[in-house]
Structures are given as C-alpha cells and as structure tokens.
Amino acid sequence: MSNASSVQTPLPQTTPPVLVTGVAGFVGFHVASRLLERGEMVVGIDNLTPYYDPALKEARLALLMAHPGFTFRRIDLSDAHATAEVFAEVGPKRVVHLAAQPGVRQSMIEPQPYIATNVVAFLNVLEACRHGKIDHLVYASSSSVYGANRKVPFSEHDNVDHPVSLYAATKKTNELMAHSYAHLYGLPATGLRFFTVYGPWGRPDMAVYIFTDAIARGTPITVANSGRVWRDFTYIDDVVEGVMQVLDHPATPNLTWDALSPDPATSSAPHRVYNIGNNRPEELNHLIGLIEKEVGRAALRKEVPLPPGDVLETAADITDLASATGFSPATSLDEGIRRFVAWYRGYHEA
C-alpha cells in the first residue's frame, strides 16, 4: 500500500467518531484498533513521516482501513488551516492525540522537527479542540519529562522542571499548554506519561525491536552502561487499556487543589496527568536474556557509555491511575517478549 490518503467509508450522522492522531504510529494503531473493536467510529490522522520505515506505518494503516468503521485523513497537524478544517468536518467530541516526533537522541541531532510537530502541531490541536467544544482531549506525554529526577518510582506529584533532552522539554511543554487551555477555556484534558511501550507492531527505533532484529540477524547490539540500565517496560495491550479507561473518565477539577501548595498532578482546572507504566523496572541485561531465549541465539554485544540524554532508571508510580480508573498492568516482560518475537518472525517472514 502507498500514499494512503482517501476516505474509506462515509461518517455516520448519529454518534460522533473518536479522532485519533498519529493513527499509523505504534500506540495510535493499537488504540484505534481497540476503539473499533468496541464499536466506535474512528477517524485517524497521520502524515506518515519517514522517521522510521514508512512501510511499517503503511502496513498498520492497511489493517485499519479494512475496517468499515475507520476513516483516514492524511494531513500535517502543524498546518493550522488543515487541522481546523478536519476537526470542523469530522465534528469529534473525543480526541486521542498521539501524533508526535519521537526519539530522545534524535532530538539532539535534528531539533527543529520536534518544535514543529510536538509544539506547533499541539497548539493547532488545542485550538481545534477549543473551537470544536471537545468533551475530552487525551494526549501523549512521556516518562522523559522526569528528566534529572532521581527519586523513584516517578510520581506525577513530583516537580518535573529539569528535562535532559529537547524531546522531554517538548512533552513538558505539551502538559503546560494543555493546562492553560483547561484553565482558560474549560477544555477537559488528560496527559499520559508513557513508560517504554513495546509489543507487536512496535517502533523499530526502540530497544526491544532493535535488539530482537540484531540478534536474529547475528549483528552486534549496542549496550549502554554494561546493561546496568533499568526501564519500566510496558506492554502495548496494557497501555491501550489505560488509554481507554482514561478516555472514558474525562478530567475534572480538583476541588481541594491549593494554590498555596500546588500539586503538579492535579489542578483547579479540568486537567490531569497520569503515569502509564508496568510499575516494575527491569534491567536491560534481563531484557536481552529474554530476547536471546526467544530468538534462540546469543547476542553479540558492543559495550558503550550511557548516551547523553539517557537516564539510568525509569519507574512508574501508577497509584493515581489505578485509583481513578482501576488500571492494572497484566502482562509480564517474559510474556510480552514472547509475543513480540512471535510477531517479529511473522511480520519479517511475510
């Protein structure tokens, strides 16, 4: 499939569809799939940027476009007119904004796209939500916002004013922008700080995919800090479940919020931020061992120092999300890696 840009089916005139941006991306694809499974109409937006192999995005999109409840628009959200136009045409009441320029390390090499995609485009989405009187905006933030913080597990109630990459700074910017729109215009908005999402149809620039691909092909993997790095690896099905639960619980003002002792996690405005993680950090060496077992081949390792912008550990405190929605991650790293490697084999053999 190439140059996907057409509408698959006419929009229904009864229930407004859910608008999902970044729909050809890893999380966007899975969120849209889950919405369709539960009978929702979905309009997906993506501009299919070549940050990684567009063929993977095209393959995800082809699966979505086979569903009668799915409609696709190929636009660049940094175009304010195009963004306003599609919102006016679709008339959504719920928006899941997952479009972004990802990548901590790449943001230090080529920073300009991160401002255009993560800041300017987000402003256009906020403006479209404001004028469209959206009932709930759910948007992607990142565990990267915790930056130089060393107190673990990371809590939404902690200050996050010390990002260590431009990517992280753009995600913190998103949270501040969404809060301002919640305060000024009453736009209910919920930011989700994702922790190292992995699973089938995952991003090829992430560690799980990179390591699996290299080990399967017998090429070396680059291992930072002798593998003494910990990540809160979170399986995609658990992440999607969290997104769905949050979407169904629009942000509301915290009536006990105290301006003299402000809580970063809540607000007097209808804005919230939540961690979505597995609540169980795993050492990189353990991850590599699981992949080696599933692939059936030992890794060839190239040891390097911890790169600039990376942190030694991420760990999600998910108490708030569990309390608000009942969120409970259910997939162990062992099971998640088994499922990912099985998908990897099928996708690449096909």
Side-chain angles (χ1 to χ4, degrees), residues 305-347:
L306 190 71
D310 279 21
V311 297
L312 282 173
E313 180 177 5
T314 64
D317 182 341
I318 59 172
T319 304
D320 281 9
L321 184 58
S323 176
T325 69
F327 174 74
S328 179
T331 312
S332 68
L333 186 61
D334 303 54
E335 176 62 19
I337 293 301
R338 185 190 67 77
R339 295 178 190 175
F340 173 78
V341 173
W343 169 84
Y344 170 89
R345 285 198 174 105
Y347 178 76

Side-chain angles (χ1 to χ4, degrees), residues 240-263:
V240 172
E241 184 60 30
V243 172
M244 299 297 284
Q245 290 172 357
V246 167
L247 182 63
D248 295 338
H249 292 80
T252 57
N254 177 3
L255 300 180
T256 64
W257 191 81
D258 183 0
L260 296 177
S261 181
D263 175 11

Side-chain angles (χ1 to χ4, degrees), residues 142-201:
S142 169
S143 61
S144 297
V145 301
Y146 290 103
N149 289 20
R150 287 295 175 266
K151 181 176 77 67
V152 292
F154 295 146
S155 169
E156 304 96 327
H157 302 276
D158 295 335
N159 180 284
V160 288
D161 286 342
H162 298 90
V164 295
S165 70
L166 180 66
Y167 170 74
T170 65
K171 288 302 182 179
K172 170 64 174 174
T173 300
N174 289 169
E175 294 181 3
L176 296 173
M177 293 168 70
H179 181 271
S180 71
Y181 270 67
H183 172 75
L184 292 170
Y185 309 114
L187 171 64
T190 304
L192 301 176
R193 294 172 178 173
F194 295 129
F195 280 71
T196 316
V197 187
Y198 75 99
W201 296 100

